[in-house]
Amino acid sequence: MKILFVGDIFGSAGRRIVREHIGHVCEANSVELVIINAENAAGGFGVTPQIAEELFDMGADVLTTGNHVWDKRELLEYLSSVPEDSKERPRRVIRPANFEPGVPGYGVFEGVTASGIQYAVVDLMGKVFMKGTNNPFIAADEILGGIKAKVIVVDFHGEATSEKVAMGWHLDGRVTAVLGTHTHVPTADERVLPGGTAFQTDVGMSGPYDSVIGVEKDLVLHRFLTGMPGKFEAAKGNPKMCAALITCDPKTGRASAIQRIMLGE
Ligand SMILES: [Fe+2]
């Protein structure tokens, strides 16, 4: 079974480059499950229901998010529009599971692929250099206790490489893949850990690379040079789609391969 995990889509340039490539990558590899981190898909800040629908139309099965999930207020209503056991699109947009209890939305989605394979996608966010999360390692243990599917993909949205690598080891042999997001720079450390968990510290942004992690570089440079506040805008130049292609055994959930993908125009 092949799973495609697309790294953080950033703005319209990110959506455009993913639309250009996702179809042929899925077709050439007979991908059965597509997961996209969408938290920067709306101009770099959050995701709107309309853009979520656009990404589902492109072939996404599940959309993950992170620290920017609340940036677009209209998403709250979308997330809250379905009950926990729904399989509708709004239920397939998940937010970090280790947020404070009671916030809108859900941190795990459990579904079945077209060919009948049960899977789960878990969204977790790091605690190092990040705000508003509970211990992601303990949260992961609690969540895994309640999942029946063998194929389990974890999006670990984190700032610190150490915390992300540690999560890979923590979940090795218990999930199919631990894929890092948030830092927008792909890391060259993709591997299958000894217990059969595919791991990559950061899958990388799907967005404009002539930028500072997606934002117009002149605006960011101005802030670094002067310390003055200023509005950030999504860049457009040199878009690339970054993704990880995972091969696993659907019966055991164990991964046998992970391939790093970076495709430009
Ligand atoms: Fe993020």
Side-chain angles (χ1 to χ4, degrees):
M1 175 191 184
K2 298 270 173 84
I3 301 165
L4 186 73
F5 184 99
V6 178
D8 317 38
I9 293 190
F10 200 100
S12 59
R15 302 199 309 271
R16 199 171 58 247
I17 196 75
V18 170
R19 188 183 297 110
E20 190 176 323
H21 289 301
I22 196 165
H24 73 81
V25 169
C26 287
E27 204 176 306
N29 295 287
S30 305
V31 169
E32 280 208 56
L33 174 61
V34 177
I35 302 156
I36 298 179
N37 184 296
E39 77 145 2
N40 302 117
F45 298 94
V47 57
T48 61
Q50 194 185 354
I51 289 173
E53 294 284 332
E54 184 186 324
L55 298 176
F56 285 124
D57 287 342
M58 277 188 220
D61 295 295
V62 181
L63 303 180
T64 57
T65 58
N67 53 308
H68 285 290
V69 65
W70 310 132
D71 286 3
K72 296 285 183 276
R73 290 199 60 80
E74 54 268 47
L75 192 73
L76 273 73
E77 207 179 308
Y78 186 72
L79 293 181
S80 307
S81 68
V82 283
E84 188 168 9
D85 61 355
S86 168
K87 305 294 176 199
E88 299 296 307
R89 285 177 165 187
R91 182 62 187 81
R92 291 168 180 265
V93 181
I94 57 175
R95 46 85 180 152
N98 56 326
F99 277 170
E100 295 298 347
V103 301
Y106 303 96
V108 180
F109 177 76
E110 293 185 75
V112 181
T113 67
S115 72
I117 300 163
Q118 274 199 323
Y119 67 88
V121 182
V122 181
D123 197 338
L124 287 168
M125 193 161 106
K127 202 170 155 70
V128 179
F129 308 130
M130 301 191 96
K131 289 181 191 140
T133 47
N134 296 306
N135 189 314
F137 295 86
I138 293 170
D141 291 342
E142 287 168 0
I143 290 163
L144 292 183
I147 293 177
K148 287 191 203 83
K150 298 285 184 197
V151 175
I152 304 170
V153 178
V154 177
D155 176 342
F156 191 35
H157 199 75
E159 191 77 54
T161 50
S162 57
E163 192 180 26
K164 289 152 105 173
V165 170
M167 185 62 84
W169 290 117
H170 184 57
L171 299 182
D172 183 26
R174 298 199 281 160
V175 304
T176 306
V178 175
L179 300 162
T181 57
H182 177 69
T183 54
H184 294 191
V185 178
T187 57
D189 63 339
E190 76 280 8
R191 62 183 284 200
V192 177
L193 297 171
T197 295
F199 176 78
Q200 187 179 356
T201 298
D202 204 287
V203 175
M205 164 182 75
S206 293
Y209 275 74
D210 285 352
S211 71
V212 177
I213 61 169
V215 175
E216 268 301 339
K217 56 186 184 300
D218 293 344
L219 302 175
V220 180
L221 279 169
H222 180 262
R223 187 178 289 189
F224 276 121
L225 284 163
T226 65
M228 302 270 293
K231 198 168 178 282
F232 279 173
E233 279 171 31
K236 300 266 189 271
N238 191 21
K240 292 179 193 300
M241 180 178 99
C242 277
L245 180 67
I246 292 113
T247 309
C248 74
D249 180 345
K251 291 194 193 72
T252 62
R254 285 185 169 223
S256 55
I258 172 170
Q259 184 193 337
R260 180 159 42 99
I261 292 172
M262 188 189 233
L263 296 169
E265 283 179 306

